[in-house]
Amino acid sequence: MNPTQINRTLSAAEAACRVSGARLTAKRKNVLAVLLRSQKPLSAYDIVDQYSQDYGEPIPAMSVYRMLDFLANENLAHKLNSENKFLACAHINCSHHHGTPQFLICCSCNKVSEIAIKSDLITALRDTVKEAGFQLQSSQLELDCLCADCAQRSPTCADT
């Protein structure tokens, strides 16, 4: 994202927080900006390091975890459970509702793309899980993939 897009996205995040009654503090906004500038998902400790570089002040990892929880609860960021890393929501600037997120994760370069799962697929998944005697706790999906760029260089992730 370029600086103009980041500023536009941060403004949209502030507006969304005002609507929900949440408070996007300066530090929360800065953590979101770190995620928006990143080309890949970041761990909390990656964010601590980048925050210090970007803003010239240290920030405790526990504070970053709390801020990430806030951002996730406000649908401004997502946690990739398989990697214990975080990324900014790709739909902050959108004015319409998005479905359940699905993350396509390149097993070669770690690029992540967020897409929405169709609601009928989630319903079918939920029904199948229920038939198996379980309750679905999260319908977020994380799929190991190969992005188009990496597929041109090497057609598999077998060597990663």
Side-chain angles (χ1 to χ4, degrees):
M1 266 190 188
N2 66 44
T4 301
Q5 292 170 316
I6 290 171
N7 287 335
R8 191 175 321 127
T9 302
L10 292 172
S11 293
E14 287 176 317
C17 285
R18 274 194 302 276
V19 168
S20 71
R23 192 165 158 252
L24 187 62
T25 64
K27 287 188 178 186
R28 289 172 177 167
K29 186 175 174 181
N30 291 346
V31 167
L32 179 58
V34 167
L35 290 173
L36 289 167
R37 284 191 293 271
S38 179
Q39 299 296 312
K40 61 181 183 171
L42 300 173
S43 71
Y45 290 95
D46 294 333
I47 294 168
V48 166
D49 293 341
Q50 192 62 51
Y51 190 101
S52 294
Q53 288 178 22
D54 292 352
Y55 300 103
E57 63 180 6
I59 187 168
M62 288 308 297
S63 294
V64 170
Y65 277 113
R66 285 191 297 275
M67 291 176 203
L68 289 167
D69 284 343
F70 170 86
L71 295 172
N73 287 334
E74 292 299 316
N75 296 313
L76 300 174
H78 300 291
K79 180 180 181 182
L80 296 178
N81 295 317
S82 62
E83 299 185 16
N84 197 27
K85 292 186 178 182
F86 299 83
L87 70 159
C89 178
H91 304 290
I92 294 172
N93 287 320
C94 297
S95 59
H96 59 280
H97 174 72
H98 286 272
T100 302
Q102 175 176 340
F103 299 99
L104 310 177
I105 306 168
C106 180
C107 55
S108 181
C109 70
N110 294 323
K111 175 183 175 182
V112 176
S113 183
E114 177 185 345
I115 62 173
I117 303 170
K118 294 179 181 176
S119 61
D120 57 334
L121 291 175
I122 292 298
T123 301
L125 177 64
R126 189 170 280 121
D127 291 346
T128 302
V129 168
K130 187 175 182 179
E131 288 170 14
F134 288 82
Q135 292 180 353
L136 187 63
Q137 297 299 301
S138 171
S139 52
Q140 174 179 305
L141 296 176
E142 299 173 25
L143 301 177
D144 291 331
C145 301
L146 194 60
C147 74
D149 293 335
C150 291
Q152 288 179 343
R153 290 190 292 273
S154 174
T156 69
C157 288
D159 57 325
T160 57

